[in-house]
Amino acid sequence: MRAGRLSISCLSLVALATAGAVFAQDNSNKKSAANAPGRETIAKPLSEKEKRKREEKLRKELETPYRKWLNEDVTYIITDEERAAFKRLQTDEEREQFIEQFWLRRDPTPDTAENEFKEEHYRRIAYSNERYASGIPGWKTDRGRIYITYGPPDEIESHPSGGTYERPPEEGGGTTSTYPFEQWRYRWIEGIGTNIIIEFVDPTMTGEYRMTMDPSEKDALLYVPNAGLTLMEQMGLASKTDRFTRTDGTHLGTGFGGTPESMNEFTRLEQYAKLQKPPVIKFKDLEAQVSSKITFNILPMKVRADFFPVTENSVLTNVTLQFDNKDLQFQNKEGVQKAVVNIYARITTMTRRIVNVFEDTVTVDTPPEMLQAMSQRKSLYQKSIPLAPGTYRLNVVAKDVVGGNMNNYEVALTVPRLDPEKLASSTLILADLIEPVPTRSIGTGQFVIGSSKVRPRVGETFKREEKMGIYLKIYNFAGDDTTHKPQGQVDYELVKNGSNQKIFEFSEDVSTLPNASASQVTIEKLLPLKDLQPGQYTLKLKITDKNRNQVLTPSAQFTVT
């Protein structure tokens, strides 16, 4: 294997000097700090005064709109884990990002500008404040909480004045008088079940209804002797005093025909407990979107992303798409067979803030007599986008204009950060083409990186008659004080998967490479594959900075057919 060309560019390194001070503490302070419960594990323990100051600062911060958001706006729908995470945030910027993510998690249509869940949630709060206020805001009442959490019920049986009430058989039958009460019925609540009946009673006659799990709580004559008797009590088959010896948490009379499952004490207790929890974050319409996406995903497409740091705050991200020509529909136009694929791509942050959008068209032309040979080839498209370090979403939609087939593809992009004090590398690319470009084309055009055209083999499958290109950039060697050349070594090793058989290994000293610079070195090599048996292989590199004793171990797998 012959060593290829090295392209070198210089990046400035700035040495920062720091000074530290050591503060002594007497033994008593150390002892009290060590025994303090929940001591923070930092270099210097916080004193009790500093802890109180920090807690006071956090309390004041949470008295801002963020505290209202946490304790009022979303108090019924935020999970315990989300609440704990929110309280650990230190800056308003972090809280804003958390709130944005909070609503996004619940958005049934995250690709649209509107968040229907958020809009419906605040509508419910406004409705509850208008409808259920009774000396306290409506959102604080039990009816307000259930309405905000689960929405309007399917049926409401309302008795705003109480009055005469005919008990159903399961409650003992008979006639009594009641306090004002309401029964809400939901046909289905996710995570709770079907035919959910919730009862609210106003025993104080003030308009403040409270949720109850005891159906006898609405009985205004419960504590009046010989009043509001059940049928069994009227016939002398039971005594009203028996109601107060029940162990199921109610004061109901004996029912007719046994107790239905919905009146079972454990069933009622379980339902009551579940109604206190935040709703499940799950949308059936999202499931439908996923199903339609899978069914609709009928235009095969492969996607890869490669990262090349330019500065600490900018990384050149190369997005490569590959289509098999046999999957495209060709159409005869003016004596030429033509296939056209429209591409729309969007890069967003994890909170769906749009960072970059690009759209383009891939066209494949061939004479009719060459169509069969062309259908055995592949078509590639590449777009280079500078991104700041971080995590992003890449969404790509591709449509075969002639055939109408589409693909909707999503993948995470984790853009690395370049630390100027540490040895670093770009993505290791296995390419089917590496060649120099004309001077006027340096740095421009598809597949161009610096002064080379590097076409990655998406899927990393090669034929034995091909040569496999190896392309890698290495950054931030610690240079020699005198020569300023990098003091390092690159070890190459090729292993056959499964057998761990070493095909070859060799090393080269970075300082001996032409025009080597400590700031950046580009490795370009071509590996003939004719002597490799069909199978899967792993190319391993070990890059050592001898001055700093730092090591990188990039690797890549490929298949030979």
Side-chain angles (χ1 to χ4, degrees):
M1 178 171 64
R2 64 179 181 82
R5 196 175 63 262
L6 288 174
S7 64
I8 315 293
S9 68
C10 295
L11 295 176
S12 61
L13 296 177
V14 179
L16 300 178
T18 59
V22 179
F23 295 91
Q25 291 181 314
D26 57 38
N27 292 334
S28 62
N29 286 342
K30 289 182 179 180
K31 183 176 180 181
S32 62
N35 294 333
R39 182 171 67 85
E40 296 185 30
T41 55
I42 58 177
K44 179 184 176 183
L46 294 176
S47 66
E48 291 300 322
K49 183 177 180 181
E50 289 171 326
K51 288 182 181 179
R52 287 195 297 270
K53 182 181 290 187
R54 176 175 289 188
E55 290 172 357
E56 179 65 17
K57 180 182 177 182
L58 179 60
R59 186 184 64 80
K60 288 182 178 180
E61 287 177 348
L62 290 178
E63 286 177 351
T64 63
Y66 300 109
R67 182 179 182 182
K68 177 182 180 296
W69 181 85
L70 180 66
N71 296 331
E72 294 185 22
D73 291 8
V74 300
T75 187
Y76 299 139
I77 64 173
I78 191 169
T79 65
D80 293 340
E81 293 80 10
E82 288 174 322
R83 184 182 294 274
F86 186 82
K87 289 184 175 180
R88 289 195 297 267
L89 302 180
Q90 298 296 320
T91 66
D92 286 352
E93 183 179 359
E94 291 176 342
R95 295 184 184 103
E96 287 289 349
Q97 187 175 16
F98 179 96
I99 292 173
E100 186 178 359
Q101 292 175 337
F102 175 91
W103 292 118
L104 182 62
R105 287 184 63 202
R106 292 158 171 82
D107 187 0
T109 55
D111 290 333
T112 62
E114 297 79 15
N115 188 324
E116 295 83 358
F117 180 94
K118 180 179 178 182
E119 293 174 0
E120 170 63 12
H121 178 74
Y122 281 104
R123 184 201 67 77
R124 294 178 185 180
I125 292 177
Y127 181 87
S128 297
N129 287 334
E130 180 182 349
R131 181 74 174 78
Y132 303 127
S134 58
I136 59 175
W139 70 268
K140 283 189 173 183
T141 66
D142 282 357
R143 287 187 299 175
R145 176 172 60 83
I146 295 298
Y147 187 90
I148 292 169
T149 307
Y150 301 108
D154 297 301
E155 297 176 13
I156 295 180
E157 180 184 337
S158 181
H159 301 265
S161 301
T164 303
Y165 175 68
E166 291 288 339
R167 296 189 190 91
E170 61 268 19
E171 294 182 13
T175 303
T176 187
S177 293
T178 66
Y179 299 115
F181 74 96
E182 287 185 358
Q183 283 185 347
W184 290 12
R185 177 177 175 268
Y186 290 87
R187 295 189 183 93
W188 165 258
I189 296 180
E190 179 73 33
I192 299 180
T194 58
N195 196 35
I196 304 300
I197 298 176
I198 307 171
E199 194 163 88
F200 303 91
V201 181
D202 178 19
T204 60
M205 308 287 285
T206 60
E208 182 181 344
Y209 290 71
R210 67 187 187 196
M211 187 171 69
T212 178
M213 58 179 289
D214 179 6
S216 66
E217 190 168 342
K218 62 180 175 290
D219 192 344
L221 302 179
L222 178 63
Y223 297 99
V224 179
N226 298 319
L229 300 179
T230 66
L231 291 178
M232 295 282 283
E233 292 165 355
Q234 293 175 26
M235 293 185 293
L237 300 177
S239 171
K240 190 173 184 179
T241 58
D242 294 339
R243 303 194 206 174
F244 302 97
T245 60
R246 294 176 65 114
T247 59
D248 61 356
T250 72
H251 293 151
L252 292 172
T254 304
F256 292 96
T259 303
E261 175 61 26
S262 61
M263 295 292 292
N264 180 280
E265 59 181 303
F266 297 107
T267 301
R268 288 184 290 106
L269 183 60
E270 181 182 21
Q271 174 181 304
Y272 190 85
K274 287 181 177 180
L275 288 171
Q276 312 297 321
K277 297 179 180 180
V280 178
I281 307 172
K282 185 176 180 181
F283 293 96
K284 288 298 179 183
D285 51 349
L286 287 184
E287 182 180 332
Q289 289 288 334
V290 171
S291 300
S292 64
K293 177 179 175 180
I294 292 174
T295 304
F296 206 52
N297 188 11
I298 54 178
L299 175 61
M301 174 179 68
K302 292 181 179 179
V303 181
R304 68 171 286 152
D306 302 300
F307 306 103
F308 294 88
V310 179
T311 67
E312 293 180 47
N313 299 314
S314 181
V315 177
L316 191 64
T317 302
N318 290 347
V319 177
T320 306
L321 313 181
Q322 177 179 290
F323 303 92
D324 290 345
N325 289 346
K326 64 182 178 62
D327 297 320
L328 305 179
Q329 294 274 347
F330 285 81
Q331 187 177 43
N332 194 322
K333 282 192 175 182
E334 299 178 354
V336 176
Q337 292 288 333
K338 178 179 291 188
V340 180
V341 178
N342 287 340
I343 296 170
Y344 174 87
R346 183 174 62 194
I347 298 175
T348 61
T349 65
M350 298 309 288
T351 59
R352 301 286 182 178
R353 180 177 61 83
I354 296 176
V355 175
N356 190 287
V357 174
F358 61 90
E359 47 190 335
D360 215 330
T361 299
V362 175
T363 303
V364 183
D365 296 330
T366 183
E369 61 272 16
M370 297 293 294
L371 180 59
Q372 185 173 359
M374 179 63 72
S375 65
Q376 303 304 312
R377 301 178 185 176
K378 304 178 189 300
S379 296
L380 277 78
Y381 167 85
Q382 188 178 87
K383 184 71 175 181
S384 297
I385 309 106
L387 294 174
T391 303
Y392 302 86
R393 282 188 179 93
L394 169 65
N395 291 88
V396 180
V397 178
K399 181 178 181 179
D400 183 337
V401 176
V402 178
N405 297 336
M406 294 183 66
N407 190 327
N408 190 345
Y409 184 91
E410 179 173 320
V411 68
L413 297 179
T414 303
V415 181
R417 182 180 299 276
L418 179 66
D419 187 336
E421 299 301 320
K422 292 183 179 180
L423 189 66
S425 72
S426 68
T427 305
L428 174 59
I429 294 181
L430 302 183
D432 56 25
L433 174 69
I434 298 180
E435 63 182 18
V437 297
T439 303
R440 64 180 182 275
S441 300
I442 291 178
T444 62
Q446 292 192 65
F447 312 113
V448 175
I449 306 173
S451 60
S452 298
K453 184 174 183 178
V454 182
R455 189 172 63 196
R457 175 58 60 88
V458 182
E460 284 135 352
T461 298
F462 297 84
K463 295 180 180 180
R464 294 180 67 186
E465 59 268 24
E466 293 182 297
K467 291 183 179 180
M468 182 179 74
I470 302 169
Y471 190 91
L472 180 72
K473 285 182 179 289
I474 312 169
Y475 310 90
N476 303 331
F477 278 102
D480 181 83
D481 293 338
T482 304
T483 65
H484 303 294
K485 289 215 171 198
Q487 300 297 306
Q489 180 173 301
V490 181
D491 300 311
Y492 301 84
E493 181 181 288
L494 183 64
V495 177
K496 194 171 193 301
N497 293 0
S499 64
N500 290 327
Q501 173 191 357
K502 287 187 180 180
I503 307 302
F504 71 79
E505 58 182 342
F506 79 97
S507 302
E508 60 183 349
D509 195 320
V510 175
S511 64
T512 64
L513 298 172
N515 301 318
S517 169
S519 59
Q520 177 178 303
V521 175
T522 302
I523 295 178
E524 298 181 7
K525 298 189 180 297
L526 291 176
L527 174 64
L529 304 177
K530 62 181 180 179
D531 295 330
L532 299 184
Q533 296 299 317
Q536 291 187 331
Y537 295 84
T538 300
L539 175 66
K540 301 178 181 179
L541 276 66
K542 181 180 179 182
I543 305 165
T544 305
D545 184 333
K546 294 181 178 179
N547 283 346
R548 292 190 184 134
N549 196 28
Q550 296 179 0
V551 176
L552 297 176
T553 57
S555 65
Q557 293 189 355
F558 63 96
T559 301
V560 176
T561 61

